[in-house]
Amino acid sequence: MAQNAHAARPGEQTPAVEDDHKGPKGVIKVPQRLLMGPGPANAYPRVLAAQSLPLLGHMHPPFFAIMDEIQEGLRYLFQTKSPYVLLVSGTGHAGMEAAIANLLEPGETIVVGNNGIWGTRVADMAGRFRGNVVELKRDAGQTFSLDEIKAAVQEHKPAVLFLCQGESSTGTHQNLAGVGDLCREHGVLLIVDTVCSLGAVPIFADAWKIDCIYSGSQKVLSAPPGAAPLMFGQRALDKLKGRKTKPATYNLDLNLIGDYWGWFGKRSYHHTGMVSMWYAMREALEIAREEGLEQLWARHNAMHKRLWDGLKSMGLEPFVEKQADRLISVNTIKVPEGVDWAAVVKNAMDTFNVEIAGGLGPTAGKCWRVGVMGANAHPAPVDLVISSFQDGLARQKRSL
Ligand SMILES: Cc1ncc(COP(=O)(O)O)c(C=O)c1O
């Protein structure tokens, strides 16, 4: 049997362990870092404090009251009156998979807007759930026009259309104007990924006629990763209830999870609610409500401008050509010819204790990605990122 090198034998004291992760006597120790990549962003202290409150049972009435508050907060964030909101237990991918698994039946067609890694993943998932996947492709850094989307819907007559509002692998912001109306006209359900955009840029689920939105906890909401906000409008719920086949996942079946969240007038156990994570989300949603959506959007916009004023002053350029297509929460910055992007990322961490990231998927090696989200969308963190670029680039010039 394997022996734990640090385990004490009878009569011995547990030895103190000192390394990067463990403090004396095995107590976990974690370095403080500024997380300015595409996520997670740093969490609000108030959110972290909420996570250390005493556990309640997941079927206790006081916990149900907290779940009710979370649903109120989600309705505000999504700008919907729909009763069908909840947190999926898991990260953004769990929200993504719940949306696809529940709204697409085997053999049905889904048109997937694919202009980065998230469209690629949705296409992969939809195939696994036996959908007929049609990818509407655009190069990294570009978005879809309403005309293109319309042509795809008319040609393929899908049951479902997927678009990503904030494409964090490429830094684009998909304009959703008119898409909801188009989908209603053609009897298509519209799913929108807002993992990196919810709270940073406007979305109005009801007014824009979006049938399903999912998001993540660790970006603009500045809670830890582990909760995926999700919204179903009435048409999405009707589709779920009218399915010919059960969703091919027990874990993410929204008939069952919805029952735990009181969607159908009662509460039944499906899985153990993530008690401490839900406390964190209750607090994060309340922080967003206290600040107010308009102020939240304005703050993200102002910090995006501040970042770019600094970056442009040193000659750096946006990866996304058109201003209107640029996502303000995850900013993609072109790597200039001859610059070692990874060295800039490493220097930011080593010298400034700041995380920034390189590209992902189609943008790997072509850009840096800087997140300006939630608790970090303030002047001091943004200025530190700018300083880290200045220093990282200056060091390379000196060594060239
Ligand atoms: C737009 C988008 N969708 C989905 C995801 C997946 O989220 P998670 O990593 O929380 O599963 C991410 C993560 O960065 C994202 O940015």
Side-chain angles (χ1 to χ4, degrees):
M1 208 169 94
Q3 286 259 315
N4 176 350
H6 300 303
R9 282 187 219 105
E12 279 181 5
Q13 289 241 305
T14 306
V17 180
E18 303 249 19
D19 64 27
D20 264 4
H21 306 291
K22 299 226 171 100
K25 297 208 172 114
V27 176
I28 188 169
K29 202 173 98 192
V30 178
Q32 182 75 42
R33 290 181 170 163
L34 182 61
L35 305 177
M36 301 295 283
N42 293 87
Y44 289 110
R46 185 174 147 190
V47 167
L48 295 178
Q51 278 204 306
S52 61
L53 292 171
L55 286 184
L56 284 167
H58 62 288
M59 298 299 282
H60 292 185
F63 189 59
F64 290 154
I66 291 169
M67 292 169 77
D68 288 344
E69 288 180 0
I70 289 171
Q71 287 177 306
E72 269 314 301
L74 291 176
R75 276 184 207 105
Y76 175 63
L77 207 63
F78 288 131
Q79 291 288 289
T80 183
K81 290 197 166 48
S82 172
Y84 311 117
V85 290
L86 52 69
L87 297 175
V88 180
S89 296
T91 64
H93 278 90
M96 185 188 287
E97 196 149 299
I100 301 299
N102 286 274
L103 292 181
L104 188 71
E105 289 223 54
E108 285 185 344
T109 299
I110 178 170
V111 168
V112 177
N114 183 349
N115 56 348
I117 192 179
W118 307 113
T120 303
R121 291 205 176 176
V122 166
D124 181 341
M125 277 183 193
R128 290 169 193 238
F129 288 103
R130 305 188 185 285
N132 170 34
V133 182
V134 176
E135 293 185 58
L136 182 60
K137 288 205 172 173
R138 286 298 250 138
D139 288 342
Q142 296 180 354
T143 62
F144 305 95
S145 71
L146 185 57
D147 282 346
E148 273 172 308
I149 297 168
K150 189 173 179 179
V153 164
Q154 283 173 338
E155 183 184 347
H156 300 290
K157 303 185 179 26
V160 178
L161 169 69
F162 166 85
L163 292 173
C164 183
Q165 186 187 33
E167 223 307 337
S168 59
S169 70
T170 62
T172 56
H173 179 174
Q174 174 63 46
N175 184 354
L176 297 168
V179 181
D181 280 323
L182 172 78
C183 287
R184 295 270 155 120
E185 268 167 45
H186 291 82
V188 178
L189 287 179
L190 174 59
I191 300 177
V192 178
D193 177 322
T194 65
V195 173
C196 263
S197 55
L198 188 70
V201 300
I203 195 156
F204 299 94
D206 290 355
W208 293 1
K209 303 188 177 95
I210 303 172
D211 299 301
C212 170
I213 304 178
Y214 63 84
S215 193
S217 51
Q218 75 274 25
K219 315 272 184 172
V220 176
L221 287 171
S222 289
L230 179 128
M231 191 258 356
F232 263 32
Q234 188 61 51
R235 289 186 344 137
L237 193 86
D238 292 347
K239 171 79 183 266
L240 176 66
K241 288 291 162 198
R243 283 181 67 106
K244 295 185 238 12
T245 56
K246 281 185 181 179
T249 158
Y250 187 90
N251 214 21
L252 295 174
D253 183 339
L254 288 169
N255 286 299
L256 307 175
I257 306 176
D259 228 3
Y260 175 46
W261 283 84
W263 280 11
F264 312 117
K266 59 183 174 37
R267 301 229 186 218
S268 311
Y269 167 70
H270 167 258
H271 66 285
T272 305
M274 299 174 75
V275 179
S276 308
M277 188 65 215
W278 288 180
Y279 297 163
M281 284 302 282
R282 185 272 177 206
E283 217 57 8
L285 289 162
E286 177 59 15
I287 290 170
R289 198 197 57 76
E290 285 168 10
E291 182 168 2
L293 278 177
E294 276 164 23
Q295 169 56 27
L296 203 52
W297 299 332
R299 176 159 68 82
H300 281 79
N301 220 3
M303 291 307 109
H304 161 77
K305 289 205 172 85
R306 188 180 184 103
L307 175 72
W308 278 104
D309 285 348
L311 295 176
K312 283 184 174 162
S313 73
M314 52 187 114
L316 292 171
E317 293 172 6
F319 177 77
V320 178
E321 297 294 331
K322 288 196 209 144
Q323 172 72 53
D325 288 344
R326 287 179 202 146
L327 181 61
I328 62 170
S329 47
V330 177
N331 298 267
T332 43
I333 303 146
K334 247 190 224 167
V335 177
E337 255 329 282
V339 168
D340 178 353
W341 66 268
V344 176
V345 170
K346 184 172 183 323
N347 185 59
M349 181 59 83
D350 293 350
T351 313
F352 294 81
N353 206 22
V354 175
E355 182 196 40
I356 55 173
L360 178 67
T363 61
K366 296 183 186 157
C367 70
W368 291 284
R369 294 181 302 147
V370 171
V372 178
M373 295 188 279
N376 294 343
H378 289 284
V382 170
D383 292 351
L384 207 57
V385 168
I386 296 168
S387 301
S388 80
F389 271 99
Q390 256 156 358
D391 186 63
L393 292 172
R395 280 173 196 253
Q396 288 197 33
K397 280 203 191 105
R398 279 200 294 275
S399 65
L400 282 175

